[in-house]
Amino acid sequence: MNINGAAIIGCGAIAPLHARAIASIENVRLVAVVDSDPVQAAQSAQDYECEGLTDYRELLERADIGIVHLCTPHHLHAGMAVELLKAGKHVLTEKPMALDVPSARLMQEAAEQAPGQLGVVFQNRYNEPSVRIREVIDSGSLGNLLCMKGLVTWTRTEEYYTNSPWRGHWATEGGGVLINQAIHTLDLLQWFGGDIASVKGSVSTDVLNNVIEVEDSAHACIDFKNKARGLFYGTNAYQANSPVELELVFEQGTLQQRRDSLYLWKDGQETLLCEPQSISSGGKSYWGTGHSRLIHDFYAHIREGRRFWIDGAEGIKALTLIAEIYKSSGSRNLVPQV
């Protein structure tokens, strides 16, 4: 398999971040881009000086393409990934890895039986505040984690949905703010907190009810098996895209992420631990800066014959948490994790 040749399926808003990252990796070339819209495929092929295709199945027999990036709408991830993995390709998929947990498990099973690897893009784990928070948790330097909260207050207009008709529908997006915008923050909460004991939450459509059939707002209470508690709130009904806020309270201090800077509050004093890094990938400021680092790391793992750590099993965790919030919102009952 030629791991120096790459392809991108889906030429929408997130694809340029993947293309720029691929271009910055030594001895790797973007061979082809694929989009069902021939105009979009042709334009992207011109932009990146590569082939433009309209049928992803043309990639299956291509010996010159070993790594495929999935930047398609949510409902297309699972089917494409399974086919590509069976064809021997490595697959890096944007979040969510699938429309629902059963589809994600099919991807995971295909990856376990294939020579290629499956990676899931949860780039916020690579942001400097996230790395530092995880180091504190693993070292135990502030004692046990007691509780944490995550806040996502963004805005999405009617045009955001009408310009991309797959969005805003259960059958194609799989949900609203939870599965699209806030999934990264939920992934961080479960990554920091560990195994989940129970979830209780609710979803609502506060301002976009005449536009979408999914939720634009959600909240949840997440109890972890280590006795820590996480609170979450996310919405697309704000009128600005504010930086994600995180707070983790430990026995001996508190970590707060504000405007992408991380602060430690301990013994009555606040200390700045790290500041945001510059955006060099062309992404929106509130996306974070981890995309390029994750993609570079995925390629490094493949080249070195190591298993990429954000694989199918990891990707399913956030998707499962989201499914439990939806389920809890419908039943209004506490939902134990299996």
Side-chain angles (χ1 to χ4, degrees), residues 3 11 143 147 181 226 295:
I3 63 171
C11 298
C147 56
Q181 289 77 36
N226 61 12
I295 293 169

Side-chain angles (χ1 to χ4, degrees), residues 7-34:
I8 296 174
I9 306 177
C11 298
I14 205 70
L17 275 73
H18 287 256
R20 292 186 184 98
I22 292 168
S24 68
I25 301 174
E26 188 176 359
N27 297 323
V28 173
R29 184 172 70 92
L30 180 59
V31 177
V33 291
V34 185

Side-chain angles (χ1 to χ4, degrees), residues 124-331:
N124 284 11
R125 295 193 189 189
Y126 285 79
N127 291 345
E128 186 62 22
S130 302
V131 174
R132 297 290 293 272
I133 290 169
R134 185 69 202 212
E135 288 174 350
V136 169
I137 292 171
D138 291 341
S139 69
S141 59
L142 291 179
N144 293 324
L145 175 64
L146 302 178
C147 56
M148 56 183 167
K149 63 183 178 182
L151 303 176
V152 182
T153 51
W154 288 356
T155 183
R156 291 296 182 269
T157 64
E158 179 175 348
E159 290 72 26
Y160 173 81
Y161 294 96
T162 56
N163 290 341
S164 298
W166 66 271
R167 295 189 174 113
H169 299 281
W170 289 106
T172 47
E173 191 175 21
V177 65
L178 282 176
I179 202 167
N180 202 336
Q181 289 77 36
I183 189 172
H184 290 293
T185 301
L186 290 166
D187 176 65
L188 289 180
L189 291 178
Q190 68 83 23
W191 187 45
F192 296 149
D195 292 338
I196 295 172
S198 62
V199 179
K200 188 174 184 179
S202 66
V203 302
S204 61
T205 310
D206 295 342
V207 301
L208 294 169
N209 51 296
N210 294 323
V211 180
I212 60 177
E213 63 183 32
V214 297
E215 85 287 348
D216 62 20
S217 302
H219 86 270
C221 178
I222 308 162
D223 283 331
F224 296 89
K225 291 184 178 180
N226 61 12
K227 305 304 180 182
R229 173 167 293 167
L231 295 183
F232 161 81
Y233 175 73
T235 185
N236 283 333
Y238 204 47
Q239 291 185 299
N241 289 307
S242 297
V244 172
E245 297 180 39
L246 292 171
E247 178 178 83
L248 293 90
V249 179
F250 297 84
E251 292 174 315
Q252 300 167 23
T254 298
L255 295 175
Q256 290 184 330
Q257 178 182 310
R258 306 193 305 270
R259 293 204 165 274
D260 299 323
S261 294
L262 185 65
Y263 299 87
L264 167 64
W265 176 263
K266 184 178 181 181
D267 299 328
Q269 293 186 330
E270 185 172 79
T271 304
L272 174 64
L273 298 182
C274 64
E275 296 180 287
Q277 297 175 313
S278 61
I279 303 291
S280 59
S281 62
K284 298 176 182 177
S285 60
Y286 55 90
W287 279 354
T289 59
H291 254 101
S292 182
R293 289 192 295 279
L294 182 146
I295 293 169
H296 275 255
D297 197 28
F298 182 68
Y299 278 74
H301 277 75
I302 290 172
R303 284 177 167 173
E304 296 165 12
R306 296 181 290 127
R307 301 302 298 178
F308 186 59
W309 65 291
I310 311 180
D311 57 6
E314 281 296 302
I316 287 174
K317 291 179 180 178
L319 204 56
T320 301
L321 174 55
I322 289 168
E324 298 294 353
I325 296 173
Y326 285 136
K327 182 179 178 182
S328 174
S329 182
S331 65

